[in-house]
Amino acid sequence: MKSKLTAVALAAVVVAGTAATAVPASAATARTGPTRCHTADLKAGFATGEDARPEMGQSKKQTQAYVWFTNRSKRTCSLSGFAGVDMIGAQKSDGTWSLVRSSKKPVKMILERGATVDFSITLLPVARSTPQKEKFVPAKFLVTPPNETQHFTLKWPFGGQILKQDGATHPATYLNPVGL
């Protein structure tokens, strides 16, 4: 009987110690605001309204495409940082191009249930006459929300071609943070 009582008391101390270690009082009070949004909390797509469409028919300047995230969960959540974006090309020679980040500083975005936030992808379109090896023809975008590992697969709806700079140090096609 004494050994059972000792075992129960020891178990209670271990459980109590674990609970105190897992959620210290200072951490519980310091945690304010909603937790981050997970891929399962969101839906995503390209903004396709007339004022949001990239100017893919021109080749003299950069243009922007916008990807949106909508909170479809039943809770408020936050997004902060850069999405991950891999473009998959339509040509066999295109392969996959992982876009680099701009130097803009991210801000924390709070998304209530049903709220939407977007981010822009700056693109440098090229003329049809550009040599094939110098152009990337987008087909799909794999878009991963900030701090997540699961992605959305979005079909590129705008046509056109981008100057292929997937190996450049400072390419003219890049990502901006969520909310900016």
Side-chain angles (χ1 to χ4, degrees):
M1 183 75 161
K2 185 176 182 184
S3 63
K4 282 186 179 178
L5 187 54
T6 305
V8 171
L10 181 58
V13 169
V14 170
V15 170
T18 302
T21 304
V23 185
S26 61
T29 57
R31 186 177 195 183
T32 59
T35 59
R36 71 181 169 90
C37 301
H38 298 284
T39 304
D41 297 326
L42 304 168
K43 57 184 175 177
F46 281 105
T48 57
E50 285 303 314
D51 60 339
R53 297 177 65 83
E55 298 176 64
M56 297 304 292
Q58 58 85 31
S59 59
K60 298 185 186 307
K61 62 181 180 175
Q62 291 171 304
T63 188
Q64 281 76 38
Y66 294 88
V67 176
W68 52 261
F69 291 120
T70 297
N71 179 2
R72 66 180 188 163
S73 74
K74 294 181 180 179
R75 66 182 182 87
T76 298
C77 61
S78 66
L79 283 175
S80 180
F82 289 84
V85 176
D86 292 328
M87 294 191 306
I88 299 174
Q91 308 171 111
K92 287 184 181 183
S93 61
D94 287 338
T96 300
W97 179 356
S98 296
L99 298 183
V100 299
R101 299 171 175 182
S102 72
S103 60
K104 292 183 180 178
K105 300 291 183 213
V107 296
K108 186 174 187 177
M109 303 299 298
I110 305 299
L111 293 177
E112 293 185 14
R113 182 180 182 183
T116 298
V117 67
D118 64 12
F119 68 92
S120 64
I121 302 171
T122 300
L123 307 160
L124 183 58
V126 295
R128 291 182 188 257
S129 61
T130 302
Q132 196 69 26
K133 66 180 182 176
E134 294 177 23
K135 58 186 170 183
F136 185 95
V137 181
K140 294 180 185 173
F141 281 57
L142 306 180
V143 178
T144 308
N147 305 307
E148 287 292 297
T149 57
Q150 294 182 345
H151 65 265
F152 296 98
T153 301
L154 306 178
K155 185 178 178 188
W156 178 248
F158 304 115
Q161 301 147 86
I162 302 166
L163 182 61
K164 191 171 187 172
Q165 295 181 314
D166 54 342
T169 305
H170 299 288
T173 296
Y174 55 86
L175 299 173
N176 289 302
V178 172
L180 298 180

